[in-house]
């Protein structure tokens, strides 16, 4: 009788270990995905400043909603393409599409508000 009980336990361990491994992997993937979430935003903005960080080697624009005088709404958007950054003008209204990932906002698309020609 004792042998049967030991065999059942051994068989259950053989099944239990792979099952627990799969559950742990699934939980890890879900946690990694939830902490590295990416969101996309489309908005109308006014470019307040253009700048370049020598330290980080990144071009950026400081923006706010059109006709906003409140500094609380200002955001910094990184511009990865130098040619696009050169075409952006201060005090102009644009429609932008940017991705927020790990605290950074990265420009994906921009065009002059009311214009159908986009700068990508």
């Amino acid at each position: 009788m004792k042998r049967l009980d030991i065999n059942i336990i051994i068989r259950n361990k053989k099944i239990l270990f792979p099952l627990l491994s799969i559950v742990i992997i699934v939980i890890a993937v879900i946690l990694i995905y939830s902490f590295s979430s990416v969101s996309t935003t489309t908005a109308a903005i006014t470019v307040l400043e253009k700048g370049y960080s020598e330290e980080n080697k990144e071009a950026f624009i400081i923006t706010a909603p059109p006709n906003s005088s409140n500094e609380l709404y200002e955001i910094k958007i990184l511009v990865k393409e130098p040619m696009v950054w050169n075409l952006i003008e201060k005090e102009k209204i644009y429609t932008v599409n940017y991705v927020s990932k790990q605290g950074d906002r990265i420009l994906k698309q921009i065009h002059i508000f009311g214009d159908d020609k986009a700068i990508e």
Side-chain angles (χ1 to χ4, degrees):
M1 199 67 136
K2 288 184 180 181
R3 267 195 178 168
L4 288 175
D5 293 337
I6 292 173
N7 286 335
I8 291 172
I9 292 171
I10 291 172
R11 273 193 230 136
N12 286 342
K13 284 184 180 178
K14 287 180 181 177
I15 294 171
L16 190 62
F17 180 72
L19 185 62
L20 280 174
S21 299
I22 291 171
V23 168
I24 289 170
I25 290 171
V26 168
I27 290 172
V29 168
I30 290 170
L31 288 174
I32 289 170
Y33 180 75
S34 66
F35 284 117
S36 65
S37 65
V38 175
S39 66
T40 302
T41 304
T42 302
I45 54 98
T46 300
V47 175
L48 303 176
E49 287 181 45
K50 289 174 58 174
Y52 184 81
S53 170
E54 288 291 336
E55 182 179 312
N56 299 332
K57 304 288 186 213
E58 294 176 330
F60 62 88
I61 54 176
I62 304 294
T63 68
N67 304 321
S68 172
S69 60
N70 194 339
E71 289 181 10
L72 292 174
Y73 297 112
E74 291 182 7
I75 61 169
K76 177 180 177 181
I77 301 174
L78 301 177
V79 182
K80 297 291 184 183
E81 295 295 326
M83 288 177 32
V84 172
W85 185 80
N86 286 330
L87 293 173
I88 296 172
E89 298 176 26
K90 286 172 53 173
E91 302 301 323
K92 225 172 187 179
I93 299 175
Y94 294 93
T95 302
V96 295
N97 184 310
Y98 60 88
V99 174
S100 298
K101 184 176 183 179
Q102 298 174 348
D104 289 334
R105 294 174 182 97
I106 302 167
L107 184 68
K108 290 295 175 192
Q109 188 176 34
I110 184 169
H111 70 274
I112 297 169
F113 189 75
D115 191 1
D116 293 333
K117 297 176 185 175
I119 304 170
E120 291 187 24

